Amino acid sequence: SQQGEEDPQALSIQEGENATMNCSYKTSINNLQWYRQNSGRGLVHLILIRSNEREKHSGRLRVTLDTSKKSSSLLITASRAADTASYFCATDAGGGSNYKLTFGKGTLLTVNP
Amino acid sequence: EAQVTQNPRYLITVTGKKLTVTCSQNMNHEYMSWYRQDPGLGLRQIYYSMNVEVTDKGDVPEGYKVSRKEKRNFPLILESPSPNQTSLYFCASSLLRGVGGYTFGSGTRLTVV
């Protein structure tokens, strides 16, 4: 079952602009993660934010988490053509020791040179 | 280099012919998982494993088997493949829950005719 839903489904911007992608989920989570996927290739882990954290930074990435609204956002600042990819949020909502991620369907980001 | 290795990268097979997709990680990770990715459906978990000899079903386990006899290996077995198992498959591994994300393999594109 889909836990995370990304919004928008597709986003096209110019190089140098900021890109914001949103993720909504349905149940309580342990943590939320963002991944990037270049066309047809493996996913690359970008950042993990725990349920007791509100904001996290990594280089040009900024992630926020609002557990009261069950939503998260990923901001990529000063985007580059190389940022063109699909971006997925994934939630870890399992109880006990099960480390199971449930992925959304992704946002396709196109950064035009 | 720390990585998850899947083989083969591409596979075309016929209905009913048993096949195995291998997955190996060299990072001493506890957790391993198999996902399939389909257009419009996103990534869905097939099976996962928390440790050697500990496996459990994900969201779409029908038609698949796995084993975890050694920590590094987590093969995916299709006993009798059918056309609806045509998909892009990813193996992933993770060391600790809630600390880092999953490391993904490069994917196996399977076509069943």
Side-chain angles (χ1 to χ4, degrees), chain B residues 5-75:
Chain B
T5 303
Q6 288 179 237
N7 281 298
R9 186 81 172 85
Y10 299 93
L11 179 60
I12 300 174
T13 190
V14 296
T15 298
K17 186 177 181 181
K18 180 179 178 179
L19 66 91
T20 300
V21 184
T22 64
C23 174
S24 181
Q25 50 94 3
N26 62 359
M27 297 166 283
N28 201 37
H29 282 177
E30 301 284 336
Y31 298 96
M32 297 189 75
S33 188
W34 276 101
Y35 286 85
R36 61 178 287 176
Q37 185 175 32
D38 302 286
L41 297 176
L43 284 120
R44 294 177 293 168
Q45 189 176 58
I46 304 171
Y47 268 94
Y48 60 98
S49 170
M50 293 175 285
N51 211 327
V52 175
E53 302 292 2
V54 181
T55 63
D56 206 350
K57 296 176 181 178
D59 296 318
V60 288
E62 295 77 21
Y64 304 94
K65 284 175 57 178
V66 293
S67 67
R68 189 95 181 269
K69 293 184 170 61
E70 306 164 280
K71 199 172 191 179
R72 63 184 293 125
N73 296 323
F74 191 45

Side-chain angles (χ1 to χ4, degrees), chain A residues 66-88:
Chain A
D66 186 335
T67 52
S68 66
K69 295 181 179 178
K70 292 186 170 58
S71 67
S72 174
S73 67
L74 170 68
L75 169 67
I76 304 174
T77 59
S79 63
R80 306 166 182 166
D83 294 328
T84 294
S86 290
Y87 291 82
F88 296 87

